[in-house]
Amino acid sequence: MSVIVLTGLQWGDEGKGKLVDLLCEFATVSVRFQGGNNAGHTVVLGDEKVILNLLPSGSLRKNVRCILAQGMVIDPSVLLAEMKRVEAGIGPFSPDRLAIARRAHVILPLHKQADALSESAKDGSSVFIGTTLRGIGPAYQDKAGRRGIRMVDLVGSPEDLRSRLDVMHRYWAPQFEKHGQALPDPSEAFELCRTWGDALAPYIADTSLVLHSEIERGSHVMLEGAQGTMLDIDHGTYPFVTSSNSCTLGAPAGAGLAPSRISGVLGVTKAYCTRVGEGPFPSEDTGEMGERMRRAGHEFGSTTGRPRRCGWLDIAALRYAVRLNGVSYIAITKLDVLTGIPEIKVCTGYALDGETVPEIPLDRIADATPVYESVPGWEEDITGIRDLHELPVPARRYIDKIEGWLGVPACLVSVGPERNETIFVKNPFRD
Ligand code: IMP
């Protein structure tokens, strides 16, 4: 039995979807523990590119049990559409193959509207974050405000549901009014919730218990983080973050799993760095090299299509993420995107108050300057390479250097989008 948390070490979009899908050849349970359809995990299967926003990436394998755990916020209309798409290729879901937490919170149309209102407010009452506009923040606000609707409420007493919706709508009414927007009708929300409840009832379960019994019978479990460490509400570049604990620390609470059950943490980083939305990104390259990475790496958001900001690998930010997440091994993705760049820059520390600090000074980023080292690049196409020792020497050295800087070994290196375009150094479920 192994319980592995796979977590993004940057600002999301590290290529986690491909890795989870790949590793689910060895795991039999795949869990999402936070976030919602702000995530977009891309998995390439032959000629087809599948983007999963809510279902765990393991859902593309028939023998994998999928869990949407209670740390998530779920838009049932998006989930039902996604289930349909996956069912068309893989066959029907059954309660044995998909479980949705009773305590996961529901995203309503009202939350998406509130997200848009907050992002477009002209009265200085909110910070522009560049959210995905999927209603994530407002749904978590309602959760913390103890007026949220949970999956279990969709299938419970209609009277309770009505009164909960009433409280929620009364709370948001003044804010909609202030912005001259009509508040959605609570009775329409009620009908929608009941329809969702009818469709999803067979899957709504105590997923903490499901997970516990899977672990008791020795299953290999993959807990799949969405977004990334630097977008974590408590540990990221606040306020430019998402609304959940998107690093490994969110996994036990979000999945309903004791921390002592976790056997390893696989941290995922690109061979360079990207960010979508607003907020600090000290190693961003706004010139020709950033543009080149964007083109070569197809760096456009899989959820929103927005161009991603691109830049150099930030080892100082990764050191922080490795420490915080307790990373056991790293996976380095998109190494092929750097092919053809003669000199690769790496931020290895920050100059702050006359000295160089090894970790990103999160609360003083504005006062700090990235310190760069350069390493030689390579020209050869590496997408066909499956053994670390066959990489061009500079590419191999780049991997060695990253391992040395971070003090953790690389277990996987991805050299292209396809499942097989991967160098396996060590299998977290086997070795
Ligand atoms: P929200 O999660 O939609 O509220 O957005 C908050 C911030 O997190 C914004 O900067 C988004 O661009 C960013 N974000 C949310 N989800 C993802 C993701 O899956 N990948 C990358 N950035 C994300």
Side-chain angles (χ1 to χ4, degrees):
M1 178 276 288
S2 295
V3 179
I4 306 288
V5 184
L6 182 135
T7 196
L9 299 178
Q10 300 170 307
W11 281 280
D13 309 317
E14 295 92 351
K16 299 181 289 293
K18 168 182 160 171
L19 297 184
V20 178
D21 169 61
L22 197 66
L23 290 169
C24 278
E25 190 177 338
F26 313 99
T28 46
V29 185
S30 176
V31 186
R32 277 271 320 257
F33 58 84
Q34 46 71 229
N37 60 318
N38 46 350
H41 291 168
T42 308
V43 183
V44 177
L45 293 176
D47 294 338
E48 220 192 324
K49 191 167 148 187
V50 185
I51 296 174
L52 295 169
N53 299 113
L54 281 168
L55 291 168
S57 303
S59 61
L60 298 177
R61 294 186 184 265
K62 258 194 179 124
N63 58 335
V64 171
R65 187 168 200 177
C66 297
I67 296 178
L68 277 70
Q70 57 260 52
M72 289 187 74
V73 284
I74 299 172
D75 182 334
S77 57
V78 174
L79 176 61
L80 286 163
E82 196 166 304
M83 283 168 65
K84 231 185 198 165
R85 278 204 313 276
V86 171
E87 282 179 327
I90 306 283
F93 279 109
S94 66
D96 282 344
R97 205 164 98 65
L98 176 66
I100 304 165
R102 296 160 57 83
R103 287 164 171 255
H105 277 249
V106 175
I107 297 180
L108 292 162
L110 168 154
H111 294 125
K112 284 183 273 186
Q113 275 178 259
D115 204 350
L117 281 185
S118 158
E119 287 286 274
S120 61
K122 303 270 186 291
D123 61 356
S125 61
S126 60
V127 178
F128 176 68
I129 303 294
T131 74
T132 59
L133 299 176
R134 300 299 190 260
I136 306 295
Y140 277 117
Q141 265 173 268
D142 276 348
K143 172 180 174 173
R146 275 63 61 92
R147 55 180 174 268
I149 304 290
R150 297 161 308 161
M151 295 305 297
V152 68
D153 300 321
L154 304 184
V155 291
S157 129
E159 292 72 37
D160 281 355
L161 177 61
R162 254 189 224 287
S163 82
R164 280 171 197 279
L165 284 167
D166 188 46
V167 171
M168 183 189 280
H169 282 72
R170 280 177 198 272
Y171 170 80
W172 286 102
Q175 302 187 50
F176 276 66
E177 202 173 311
K178 185 176 80 173
H179 293 290
Q181 284 263 334
L183 185 73
D185 186 343
S187 52
E188 274 177 30
F190 174 83
E191 291 308 327
L192 202 52
C193 285
R194 295 300 292 178
T195 312
W196 288 336
D198 289 344
L200 293 172
Y203 306 102
I204 297 174
D206 181 341
T207 52
S208 168
L209 203 54
V210 172
L211 190 53
H212 182 79
S213 38
E214 284 287 350
I215 292 172
E216 284 298 297
R217 65 192 185 99
S219 303
H220 286 330
V221 178
M222 172 63 80
L223 293 149
E224 176 183 355
Q227 292 83 51
T229 301
M230 304 306 274
L231 286 173
D232 185 287
I233 180 102
D234 286 310
H235 305 286
T237 47
Y238 190 88
F240 301 101
V241 291
T242 191
S243 309
S244 63
N245 283 121
S246 50
C247 75
T248 304
L249 305 185
L257 178 75
S260 56
R261 292 293 199 154
I262 293 171
S263 33
V265 177
L266 171 56
V268 187
T269 173
K270 275 180 188 161
Y272 50 101
C273 195
T274 62
R275 169 164 208 170
V276 232
E278 300 299 303
F281 178 5
S283 67
E284 180 172 12
D285 187 311
T286 51
E288 191 200 326
M289 282 301 161
E291 185 53 41
R292 183 177 175 152
M293 292 181 220
R294 181 157 37 253
R295 259 185 288 115
H298 308 290
E299 296 295 357
F300 296 89
S302 46
T303 303
T304 58
R306 291 180 290 175
R308 294 179 185 143
R309 298 155 67 191
C310 295
W312 304 104
L313 193 64
D314 186 338
I315 290 290
L318 287 176
R319 271 195 200 104
Y320 166 73
V322 164
R323 170 174 67 80
L324 184 72
N325 288 294
V327 168
S328 336
Y329 16 64
I330 49 169
I332 300 170
T333 60
K334 298 188 120 175
L335 184 65
D336 53 303
V337 172
L338 296 182
T339 299
I341 296 182
E343 197 179 78
I344 298 165
K345 282 172 68 179
V346 185
C347 165
T348 52
Y350 280 82
L352 181 71
D353 297 337
E355 50 178 308
T356 301
V357 294
E359 280 190 10
I360 187 167
L362 267 190
D363 300 317
R364 294 194 57 203
I365 291 182
D367 303 323
T369 317
V371 175
Y372 289 102
E373 282 185 30
S374 289
V375 298
W378 58 93
E379 287 291 331
E380 301 88 329
D381 177 9
I382 58 169
T383 51
I385 292 179
R386 302 289 172 266
D387 183 333
L388 216 50
H389 300 283
E390 285 167 17
L391 281 173
V393 173
R396 177 71 221 248
R397 291 235 167 95
Y398 187 48
I399 305 285
D400 288 347
K401 282 231 166 215
I402 296 171
E403 290 179 322
W405 278 317
L406 299 180
V408 277
C411 68
L412 287 154
V413 178
S414 172
V415 290
E418 303 277 347
R419 263 183 191 164
N420 68 338
E421 288 172 334
T422 310
I423 301 172
F424 258 96
V425 186
K426 174 183 158 67
N427 182 338
F429 287 111
R430 285 274 164 89
D431 305 322

